[in-house]
């Protein structure tokens, strides 16, 4: 019997010839990512663990992103602690706010994720690293401290579900719509604990940014990890930063899957996840006309350059609706600078949108744009749980950058296909 | 022994409901304990007593990786969480913080709010003293029981400094059934 991608990665990092689902293995961890919540969080378990240093083979990457720049004194203390701890541990890859951005974007953008690696972070959306063919998975601070200090961790080998994407996406339908469609198909708990592999001919047409969006959003289905086989574009991006990029891990032809789902992406319309679950997906026609107060374009799901381009193309020469506000958060400083160079930021500013520094603030209801009671936000982010972006009486709809942009102009949820292109 | 009064919740109870993101900056146990279930059940801390048991439907702990979601229940004195299923990261965090968690499909339909329930983790046995019913869940994998018994992953690791666990090389030996959610 052959192995799936996740089985191969776990077997190799556990120095075993093969593994099977359900087995518990101790495996080598290659990279640990920390941010300004995770770094303070690991202090107690890391101290109690007693190794006193980061395991030699572990690449530690620290990217403060949740509360940057500090909105409160407590957040400032956490940022200070994070900076000082990075220095005291001799962490080479530390990204001061202003030089980094959203941690998951920095991880994939700056070449910290390689095919076949096991990468953990005290942040659920570590699944994003699957865009690079790495087993990325979120952990709590205790597990993270153990991975940092010992360079290894126990993992249970998950079953793998394969998703075969076929067909061509319609205009204004994007990777985010695929993700919301998969969430509606699988729900929040059908794939708990499982790994998913995304494959099939339509995958070949997905860009690196598309893959990152899907791998990021897949977490909301409860998966342990979501893996793509890196394509030429992905590998060439990684080679900009790393000299030796390993060959992608591919599944065996006779690998055993718990389930294979076939999805024809040409049938997917623009999707919107209604409150209060990412799996509460609707076709856009079901929610068109819903009044909105805030439109948010950003996050580790959809704050990348391609997302900003799509939105800017819709917004160019128009204005954000007088009854609404639009907030744009580029995913990283690199994205931000590129968006300036391409004239995208000017388009957003001319339309009356707010542009913030890269970070998690709006998406997590931290700062830079919370919503009030009875306000409705359409957001390109990944979660619409109760209270996620501010008031518990607020409502959050999740959608693609195109839908967010069209809705910002209309002041209500709008179908981007109904807006004439400039 | 784990025995307490049952408080029931629905499906997909997420980490924002268990421990809101606005308190993410806190890690001190006393502070973390103050916000348990705040956004789903604001009265929770005034009504729940140490040793009480939460019973939930599917996917308890879905959402973020924040360990405070497990810590807040542990520090608030909750004895255990029973659910039809758990989010994998919450499950790990609970074990690592010595908060007993046991999953069994359908258990949420069998136990009522206010019941007096006892749990035997080693054997996966659940006894509802109010209704007189008994349930058999799959026992927790041995490694996870050891981590719970050691009062958490850090203590377990310190007592076993060479390795967290021996790799299990025999096929399928480590995990059977629903209770097995890493």
């Amino acid at each position: 019997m052959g192995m799936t991608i996740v089985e191969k990665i776990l077997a190799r990092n556990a120095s075993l010839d093969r593994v099977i689902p359900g087995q518990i293995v101790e495996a080598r961890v290659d990279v640990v990512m920390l941010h300004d919540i995770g770094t303070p969080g690991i202090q107690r378990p890391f101290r109690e663990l007693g190794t006193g240093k980061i395991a030699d083979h572990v690449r530690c990457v620290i990217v403060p992103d949740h509360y940057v720049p500090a909105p409160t004194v407590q957040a400032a203390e956490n940022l200070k602690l994070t900076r000082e701890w990075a220095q005291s541990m001799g962490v080479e890859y530390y990204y001061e706010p202003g030089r980094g951005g959203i941690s998951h974007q920095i991880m994939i953008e700056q070449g910290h994720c390689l095919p076949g690696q096991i990468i953990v972070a005290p942040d659920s959306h570590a699944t994003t690293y699957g865009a690079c063919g790495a087993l990325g998975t979120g952990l709590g601070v205790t597990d993270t401290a153990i991975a940092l200090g010992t360079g290894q961790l126990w993992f249970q080998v998950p079953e793998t579900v394969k998703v075969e994407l076929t067909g061509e996406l319609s205009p204004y339908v994007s990777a985010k719509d695929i993700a919301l469609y998969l969430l509606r198909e699988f729900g929040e708990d059908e794939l708990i604990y499982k790994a998913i592999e995304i494959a099939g001919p339509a995958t070949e047409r997905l860009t690196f940014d598309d893959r990152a969006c899907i791998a990021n959003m897949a977490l909301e289905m409860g998966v342990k990890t979501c893996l793509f086989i890196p394509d030429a574009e992905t590998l060439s991006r990684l080679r900009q930063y790393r000299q030796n990029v390993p060959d992608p891990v591919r599944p065996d032809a006779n690998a055993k899957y718990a389930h294979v789902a076939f999805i024809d992406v040409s049938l997917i319309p623009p999707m919107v996840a209604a409150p209060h679950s990412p799996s509460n997906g609707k076709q856009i026609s079901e929610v068109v006309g819903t009044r909105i107060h805030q439109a948010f374009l950003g996050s580790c799901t959809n704050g990348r350059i391609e997302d900003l381009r799509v939105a800017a193309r819709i917004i160019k020469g128009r204005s954000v609706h007088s009854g609404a506000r639009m907030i744009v958060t580029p995913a990283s400083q690199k994205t931000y600078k590129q968006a300036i160079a391409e004239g995208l930021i000017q388009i957003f500013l001319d339309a009356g949108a707010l542009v913030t520094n890269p970070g998690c603030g709006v998406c997590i209801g931290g700062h830079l744009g919370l919503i009030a009671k009875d306000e409705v936000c359409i957001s390109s982010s990944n979660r619409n749980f109760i209270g996620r972006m501010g008031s518990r009486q607020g409502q959050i709809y999740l959608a693609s950058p195109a839908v967010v942009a069209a809705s910002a102009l209309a002041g209500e949820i709008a179908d981007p296909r109904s807006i004439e292109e400039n | 022994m784990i025995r307490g009064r049952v408080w029931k919740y629905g499906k997909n109870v997420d980490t924002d409901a268990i421990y809101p993101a606005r308190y993410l900056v806190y890690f001190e146990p006393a502070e973390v304990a103050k916000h348990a279930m705040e956004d789903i059940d604001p009265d929770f801390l005034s009504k729940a007593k140490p040793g009480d048991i939460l019973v939930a439907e599917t996917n308890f702990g879905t959402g973020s990786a924040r360990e405070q979601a497990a810590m807040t229940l542990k520090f608030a004195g909750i004895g255990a969480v029973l659910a039809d299923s758990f989010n994998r990261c919450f499950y790990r965090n609970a074990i690592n913080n010595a908060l007993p968690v046991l999953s069994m499909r359908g258990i949420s339909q069998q136990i009522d709010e206010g019941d007096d329930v006892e749990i035997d983790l080693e054997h996966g046995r659940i006894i509802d003293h109010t209704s007189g019913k008994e349930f058999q869940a799959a026992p927790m994998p041995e490694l996870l029981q050891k981590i719970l018994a050691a009062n958490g992953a850090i203590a377990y690791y310190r007592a076993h400094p060479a390795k967290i666990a021996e790799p299990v090389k025999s096929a399928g030996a480590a995990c059977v059934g629903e209770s097995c959610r890493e």
Side-chain angles (χ1 to χ4, degrees):
Chain A
M1 185 64 69
M3 290 192 285
T4 67
I5 300 175
V6 73
E7 289 162 9
K8 283 189 171 181
I9 294 174
L10 283 169
R12 193 167 65 192
N13 279 40
S15 304
L16 297 172
D17 292 333
R18 64 183 303 259
V19 298
I20 62 160
Q23 188 175 347
I24 289 181
V25 299
E26 189 182 13
R28 190 178 66 250
V29 173
D30 299 297
V31 185
V32 176
M33 190 285 286
L34 295 172
H35 48 44
D36 54 318
I37 301 300
T39 310
I42 64 156
Q43 295 302 310
R44 187 168 61 100
F46 190 76
R47 200 164 49 236
E48 289 173 5
L49 186 67
T51 65
K53 68 182 195 70
I54 296 168
D56 291 339
H57 70 267
V58 170
R59 172 184 283 231
C60 178
V61 182
I62 301 187
V63 193
D65 63 358
H66 274 51
Y67 295 93
V68 297
T72 63
V73 173
Q74 178 68 51
E77 296 290 347
N78 281 346
L79 290 165
K80 180 173 173 226
L81 183 155
T82 300
R83 185 183 307 112
E84 290 176 354
W85 190 82
Q87 282 169 356
S88 72
M89 288 289 142
V91 172
E92 184 180 348
Y93 305 105
Y94 168 79
Y95 293 86
E96 184 68 25
R99 296 173 186 185
I102 298 176
S103 56
H104 301 310
Q105 176 65 11
I106 297 305
M107 288 294 287
I108 60 170
E109 174 191 284
Q110 304 285 325
H112 294 299
C113 304
L114 295 178
Q117 288 187 320
I118 295 180
I119 306 179
V120 301
D123 190 294
S124 56
H125 291 111
T127 55
T128 310
Y129 316 150
C132 303
L135 192 174
T137 196
L139 299 169
V141 290
T142 299
D143 273 328
T144 305
I146 293 169
L148 264 182
T150 71
Q152 57 196 24
L153 202 61
W154 67 270
F155 292 95
Q156 192 169 65
V157 181
E159 291 184 309
T160 303
V161 169
K162 188 177 192 177
V163 176
E164 282 265 341
L165 301 178
T166 61
E168 297 230 16
L169 284 170
S170 307
Y172 289 109
V173 179
S174 68
K176 179 63 162 287
D177 300 296
I178 296 176
L180 292 173
Y181 186 85
L182 291 174
L183 264 155
R184 192 180 70 165
E185 290 296 299
F186 288 112
E188 278 185 75
D189 63 345
E190 193 177 322
L191 298 182
I192 291 182
Y193 178 63
K194 294 184 173 66
I196 55 175
E197 280 178 20
I198 312 270
T203 310
E204 291 160 24
R205 291 183 285 276
L206 294 176
T207 66
F208 182 69
D209 286 6
D210 290 337
R211 291 161 180 240
C213 169
I214 292 172
N216 174 282
M217 199 73 199
L219 180 274
E220 308 303 333
M221 294 187 278
V223 303
K224 175 177 192 148
T225 194
C226 171
L227 287 149
F228 284 86
I229 299 169
D231 63 351
E233 184 204 350
T234 304
L235 293 173
S236 91
R237 278 172 174 252
L238 297 177
R239 287 189 189 115
Q240 290 171 17
Y241 292 91
R242 303 292 289 270
Q243 290 192 327
N244 299 310
V245 176
D247 288 337
V249 178
R250 295 170 194 281
D252 290 324
N254 58 345
K256 185 165 183 282
Y257 295 95
H259 177 58
V260 181
F262 292 89
I263 308 279
D264 180 353
V265 301
S266 67
L267 302 178
I268 300 177
M271 297 286 296
V272 176
H276 296 284
S277 164
S279 63
N280 192 17
K282 313 278 183 202
Q283 302 199 9
I284 192 158
S285 56
E286 298 174 68
V287 290
V288 155
T290 305
R291 166 100 206 270
I292 62 137
H293 306 86
Q294 178 165 304
F296 173 57
L297 175 64
S299 85
C300 56
T301 313
N302 276 131
R304 286 176 261 277
I305 193 70
E306 290 176 6
D307 303 319
L308 303 187
R309 283 180 194 144
V310 165
R313 205 166 70 225
I314 292 167
I315 284 181
K316 187 175 184 183
R318 299 189 170 100
S319 290
V320 173
H321 191 271
S322 59
R325 58 192 180 269
M326 181 178 192
I327 302 175
V328 180
T329 302
S332 68
Q333 295 293 138
K334 184 181 173 187
T335 305
Y336 200 167
K337 286 196 261 188
Q338 190 171 349
I340 290 171
E342 295 183 14
L344 310 179
I345 298 298
Q346 190 67 45
I347 291 169
F348 293 127
L349 294 175
D350 288 346
L354 287 155
V355 181
T356 80
N357 60 285
C360 311
V362 179
C363 169
I364 61 168
H367 63 143
L368 297 171
L370 278 66
I371 59 171
K373 180 169 180 270
D374 299 330
E375 282 197 324
V376 177
C377 180
I378 184 131
S379 175
S380 70
S381 59
N382 44 41
R383 289 195 175 131
N384 57 350
F385 301 149
I386 293 172
R388 170 78 176 181
M389 299 179 80
S391 170
R392 294 192 60 228
Q393 281 85 41
Q395 308 257 319
I396 306 163
Y397 290 79
L398 303 178
S400 68
V403 171
V404 167
S407 305
L409 298 178
E412 57 186 38
I413 296 178
D415 189 333
R417 296 172 299 189
S418 69
I419 291 176
E420 262 179 60
E421 197 152 339
N422 287 295
Chain B
M1 188 182 73
I2 302 165
R3 183 168 175 177
R5 183 199 194 279
V6 165
W7 302 96
K8 286 196 70 178
Y9 297 93
K11 64 178 184 176
N12 300 327
V13 174
D14 61 73
T15 52
D16 280 280
I18 303 168
Y19 190 86
R22 59 186 173 274
Y23 307 123
L24 280 179
V25 291
Y26 303 116
F27 282 97
E28 283 309 305
E31 184 65 34
V32 171
K34 282 185 200 165
H35 306 291
M37 310 299 277
E38 189 169 304
D39 277 3
I40 189 173
D41 189 358
D43 300 328
F44 178 73
L45 286 175
S46 58
K47 66 188 185 188
K49 293 187 177 57
D52 280 359
I53 293 169
L54 306 191
V55 176
E57 296 175 24
T58 52
N59 203 21
F60 187 85
T62 186
S64 93
R66 71 191 65 157
E67 193 152 321
Q68 290 105 321
M71 292 159 82
T72 193
L73 297 177
K74 177 69 181 177
F75 297 150
I78 294 308
V81 185
L82 289 178
D84 292 339
S85 62
F86 288 93
N87 166 273
R88 60 160 281 279
C89 194
F90 177 86
Y91 186 87
R92 274 191 90 113
N93 289 341
I95 300 292
N96 287 342
N97 284 279
L99 172 69
V101 279
L102 198 58
S103 70
M104 181 181 167
R105 284 277 168 192
I107 191 68
S108 65
Q109 302 307 309
Q110 299 288 336
I111 294 177
D112 292 327
E113 171 103 3
D115 283 4
D116 170 19
V117 164
E118 183 179 345
I119 300 169
D120 173 354
L121 281 179
E122 188 184 344
H123 302 100
R125 201 154 54 234
I126 303 160
I127 305 159
D128 187 332
H129 291 288
T130 306
S131 67
K133 290 188 217 168
E134 282 197 30
F135 310 98
Q136 183 64 50
M140 190 175 282
E142 195 183 337
L143 170 67
L144 308 194
Q145 287 197 39
K146 285 181 180 170
I147 293 174
L148 276 182
N151 201 33
I154 296 293
Y156 179 83
Y157 175 79
R158 287 180 65 91
H160 302 80
K163 282 188 170 182
I164 300 161
E166 288 296 322
V168 180
K169 295 196 178 180
S170 59
C175 172
V176 194
E178 285 298 327
S179 78
C180 220
R181 298 278 189 208
E182 175 228 324

